[in-house]
Amino acid sequence: MALVRYNNMVSPSMRSLWNDELLAPFFGRVEPRWSPRVDILEVEGVLQLEVELPGVDKEDVKITFESGVLTVAGERKSAEAKEGTRHFARERLGGEFSRAFRLGTAYDGKKIDATYLNGVLSISIPKRKETLPVTVKIH
């Protein structure tokens, strides 16, 4: 199984180039987006993804598996600025997010299990039985 990160966001180096004072008048500025961090591991034939989603309600998250691609998408709502409030720093980005992972056909999309606890989305996807390793006994 070849797990390939599937993400269409603009890279940080391209973002800095686009926001350069020389190019911004021609192409516009790229607004920063946030992308949740993900840990991916496989334990005994089960692929596990741990997605950090601080400040996101589980009702605002959607998980889909189609044509071998697992997608986690949703929205983190930004806090509205109140009248008379002055921000000294605003680093917590909000807005829509989407992360997609090409898993291929080795994993069973019909048996996906997901739990959400303390801002961490845990997704488990078992391998299809026909893709599990087989041990052959020699006679």
Side-chain angles (χ1 to χ4, degrees):
M1 190 274 315
L3 183 65
V4 179
R5 183 174 179 177
Y6 184 76
N7 198 338
N8 61 356
M9 291 184 52
V10 176
S11 73
S13 58
M14 284 300 294
R15 189 179 307 121
S16 67
L17 178 65
W18 237 248
N19 285 337
D20 186 279
E21 294 302 320
L22 182 64
L23 296 179
F26 301 102
F27 299 105
R29 294 194 181 279
V30 176
E31 291 301 319
R33 287 182 50 182
W34 80 285
S35 181
R37 305 258 183 216
V38 179
D39 288 340
I40 305 170
L41 56 138
E42 186 177 305
V43 178
E44 298 178 2
V46 177
L47 187 69
Q48 297 177 349
L49 290 88
E50 304 288 326
V51 186
E52 289 184 350
L53 296 173
V56 178
D57 293 328
K58 71 178 182 179
E59 293 80 19
D60 294 331
V61 178
K62 180 180 178 183
I63 303 168
T64 58
F65 186 75
E66 182 178 359
S67 301
V69 177
L70 176 76
T71 303
V72 179
E75 181 178 8
R76 178 165 61 188
K77 295 177 176 61
S78 298
E80 296 295 322
K82 295 179 182 171
E83 185 75 27
T85 302
R86 189 171 84 175
H87 288 272
F88 293 100
R90 196 161 182 148
E91 296 179 353
R92 296 182 306 142
L93 298 174
E96 294 181 355
F97 65 88
S98 180
R99 295 288 307 267
F101 307 92
R102 187 172 307 282
L103 304 180
T105 58
Y107 295 93
D108 193 344
K110 294 180 182 174
K111 295 183 179 176
I112 295 175
D113 183 46
T115 58
Y116 190 72
L117 181 65
N118 297 330
V120 177
L121 174 66
S122 299
I123 303 170
S124 298
I125 312 167
K127 270 191 170 177
R128 294 181 187 277
K129 288 187 180 186
E130 59 270 14
T131 62
L132 291 173
V134 176
T135 303
V136 178
K137 185 176 180 181
I138 301 173
H139 299 281

